[in-house]
């Protein structure tokens, strides 16, 4: 991944002189507020760029992974989480790569689960390791799981993931249910000509197994071109599903970007994440930290602030907190993925940013 430079976007005249703050009128003291008044309460923390799959929309087939010394240690990941929580963040999502391939990952998760002030510890996984980790994750305090599942066909699953085994993921879903996880959510990336003939089947699978499911518009991230040919909008998919299931709009929120719909008589929620057709920038409440310790205020921009040098310089908690506060000044109002479909401006792969 290329080195990213830090550029602030043009500041509206009314906000010239803005100084990032940890409190502002209308929000509780000790919270992170950007220059547009958005309240940051949600952090997606990547703990590894490595994965046991090679999903086509997430990474290259032949990946060059980060050298070990450039990746945050588990202790540094914990330090970052503690700093964010002390600044009012209440939701933390662990991501990768695949977080469960990180050596000694339970050491970190057990400590995060006991972190005072953290209300919602969740994890995104490809499901390949859940048959052995589901019970320990539940015991450690993980509240919910998101599991990537783009197809129910074994051969197609292997083609999308390049090396994945669908049966392992299905066993992982069963293990999560057996461990007592509720509101487990499937994440399906919508790809025309690849899995668009399975959306109804995936909804049926979610309903039958009392799972939630979110359909995600494909994003132009990484050195992959021509995604306009495979892009499907949320509206098109919702219309397709609506021919088979009655969908009722819901005001429910899981604290993330999904807009939910309900099927009468079912507990399952059908979500749509629409970074193209209905981007959620005006209400964005999240930032991302890569396994390398880079804080990205926006998934669709290249601007980042590196936290790792701050931590390794002197281990000063106050300096780390200040760096996080300062990052609020570079959080842009939004992104425009639609204009980047055939010429991505964000060249890092999804696996680099942690989703």
């Amino acid at each position: 991944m290329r080195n990213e430079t830090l550029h602030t976007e043009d500041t509206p005249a009314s906000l010239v002189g803005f100084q990032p703050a940890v409190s502002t009128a209308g929000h509780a003291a000790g919270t992170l507020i950007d220059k547009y008044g958005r309240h940051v309460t949600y952090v997606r923390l990547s703990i590894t760029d490595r994965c046991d799959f090679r999903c086509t929309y997430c990474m290259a087939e032949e990946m060059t992974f980060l050298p070990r010394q450039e990746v945050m240690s588990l202790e540094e990941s914990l330090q970052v989480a503690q700093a964010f929580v002390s600044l009012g963040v209440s939701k933390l999502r662990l991501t990768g790569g695949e977080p469960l391939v990180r050596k000694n990952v339970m050491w970190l998760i057990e400590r995060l689960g006991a972190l005072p002030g953290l209300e919602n510890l969740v994890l995104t996984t490809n499901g390949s390791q859940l048959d052995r980790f589901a019970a320990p994750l539940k015991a450690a305090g993980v509240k919910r799981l998101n599991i990537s599942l783009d197809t129910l066909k074994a051969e197609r699953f292997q083609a999308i993931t390049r090396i994945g085994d669908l049966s392992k993921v299905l066993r992982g879903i069963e293990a999560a249910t057996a461990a007592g996880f509720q509101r487990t959510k499937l994440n399906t990336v919508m790809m025309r000509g690849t899995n668009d003939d399975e959306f109804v089947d995936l909804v049926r699978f979610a309903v039958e197994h009392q799972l939630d499911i979110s359909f995600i518009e494909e994003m132009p991230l990484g050195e992959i071109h021509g995604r306009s040919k495979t892009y499907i909008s949320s509206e098109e998919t919702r219309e397709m599903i609506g021919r088979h299931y009655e969908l009722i709009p819901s005001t429910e929120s899981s604290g993330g970007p999904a807009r939910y719909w309900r099927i009468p008589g079912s507990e399952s929620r059908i979500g749509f994440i629409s970074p193209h057709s209905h981007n959620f920038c005006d209400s964005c409440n999240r930032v991302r930290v890569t396994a390398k310790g880079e804080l990205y205020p926006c998934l669709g921009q290249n601007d980042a602030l590196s936290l790792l040098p701050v931590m390794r310089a002197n281990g000063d908690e106050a300096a780390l907190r200040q760096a996080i506060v300062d990052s609020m000044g570079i959080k842009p109002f939004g992104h425009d993925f639609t204009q980047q479909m055939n010429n991505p401006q964000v060249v890092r792969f999804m696996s680099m940013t942690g989703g």
Side-chain angles (χ1 to χ4, degrees):
M1 183 178 74
R2 70 180 183 183
N3 291 327
E4 308 292 0
T5 55
L6 192 63
H7 302 292
T8 57
E9 67 173 358
D10 291 339
T11 302
S14 62
L15 293 172
V16 171
F18 166 84
Q19 293 295 320
V22 295
S23 64
T24 190
H27 296 300
T31 54
L32 290 169
I33 310 297
D34 73 5
K35 61 188 175 185
Y36 299 99
R38 293 171 299 192
H39 184 191
V40 174
T41 59
Y42 175 12
V43 173
R44 300 178 65 103
L45 176 63
S46 173
I47 58 174
T48 181
D49 66 327
R50 297 174 185 268
C51 187
D52 49 353
F53 290 174
R54 297 289 184 274
C55 294
T56 55
Y57 52 79
C58 186
M59 61 174 65
E61 186 168 6
E62 298 295 331
M63 286 292 294
T64 300
F65 294 108
L66 293 170
R68 185 173 181 178
Q69 66 272 18
E70 292 185 20
V71 176
M72 288 192 297
S73 67
L74 295 178
E75 291 82 2
E76 287 166 337
S77 296
L78 178 60
Q79 187 178 355
V80 168
Q82 289 171 323
F84 272 108
V85 172
S86 73
L87 290 168
V89 164
S90 58
K91 179 177 179 178
L92 179 69
R93 179 176 298 281
L94 294 181
T95 67
E98 168 49 48
L100 296 181
V101 302
R102 179 71 189 261
K103 186 177 180 180
N104 297 325
V105 65
M106 289 307 304
W107 180 93
L108 173 63
I109 293 174
E110 288 166 358
R111 282 152 182 79
L112 292 174
L115 195 58
L118 182 60
E119 299 172 4
N120 201 354
L121 175 63
V122 294
L123 181 138
T124 292
T125 174
N126 64 27
S128 66
Q129 306 295 320
L130 273 181
D131 54 348
R132 63 192 182 100
F133 276 110
L137 289 170
K138 182 66 175 175
V142 174
K143 295 291 199 312
R144 282 191 307 110
L145 299 172
N146 282 12
I147 303 172
S148 300
L149 185 66
D150 300 315
T151 176
L152 295 168
K153 298 180 179 181
E155 290 185 6
R156 181 177 290 179
F157 185 88
Q158 189 170 34
I160 293 173
T161 63
R162 295 190 176 106
I163 53 177
D165 181 352
L166 176 61
S167 64
K168 290 183 66 176
V169 176
L170 297 179
R171 288 198 302 271
I173 293 171
E174 292 176 356
T177 301
F181 280 102
Q182 298 180 340
R183 300 248 74 100
T184 295
K185 186 174 77 169
L186 306 179
N187 283 341
T188 299
V189 176
M190 302 180 291
M191 296 170 283
R192 189 182 304 280
T194 297
N195 65 346
D196 52 327
D197 59 338
E198 286 192 78
F199 296 160
V200 173
D201 292 335
L202 284 158
V203 170
R204 185 176 299 113
F205 178 86
V207 169
E208 290 176 351
H209 292 82
Q210 298 182 317
L211 308 169
D212 292 345
I213 184 169
S214 281
F215 292 93
I216 305 171
E217 291 179 346
E218 195 174 9
M219 290 174 274
L221 301 176
E223 296 170 349
I224 298 174
H225 299 274
R227 285 190 170 169
S228 61
K229 297 178 181 178
T230 60
Y231 167 73
I232 304 176
S233 72
S234 294
E235 287 91 341
E236 184 176 347
T237 297
R238 192 166 63 246
E239 289 175 4
M240 188 186 307
I241 296 169
R243 299 185 199 117
H244 300 265
Y245 291 96
E246 181 184 0
L247 295 177
I248 301 174
S250 171
T251 58
E252 296 170 275
S253 173
S254 61
R259 293 178 171 90
Y260 287 105
W261 299 66
R262 283 281 195 171
I263 295 174
S266 170
E267 290 298 313
S268 295
R269 296 182 296 187
I270 315 302
F272 296 91
I273 298 177
S274 315
H276 294 274
S277 59
H278 291 92
N279 76 47
F280 30 82
C281 300
D282 58 342
S283 60
C284 183
N285 65 339
R286 69 203 67 91
V287 297
R288 291 164 172 83
V289 179
T290 71
K292 199 175 177 179
E294 297 163 318
L295 194 166
Y296 281 92
C298 177
L299 177 63
Q301 302 284 348
N302 286 317
D303 299 336
L305 188 67
S306 186
L307 301 178
L308 203 53
V310 178
M311 288 189 287
R312 293 183 177 177
N314 51 24
D316 184 358
E317 180 181 342
L320 176 59
R321 283 165 53 93
Q322 189 60 51
I324 292 171
V325 169
D326 290 344
S327 75
M328 296 296 98
I330 63 167
K331 186 170 175 61
F333 183 76
H335 62 258
D336 189 350
F337 280 144
T338 302
Q339 296 184 10
Q340 301 181 37
M341 287 302 286
N342 289 318
N343 186 26
Q345 296 174 22
V346 178
V347 297
R348 64 187 184 276
F349 287 104
M350 180 68 83
S351 60
M352 289 287 191
T353 315

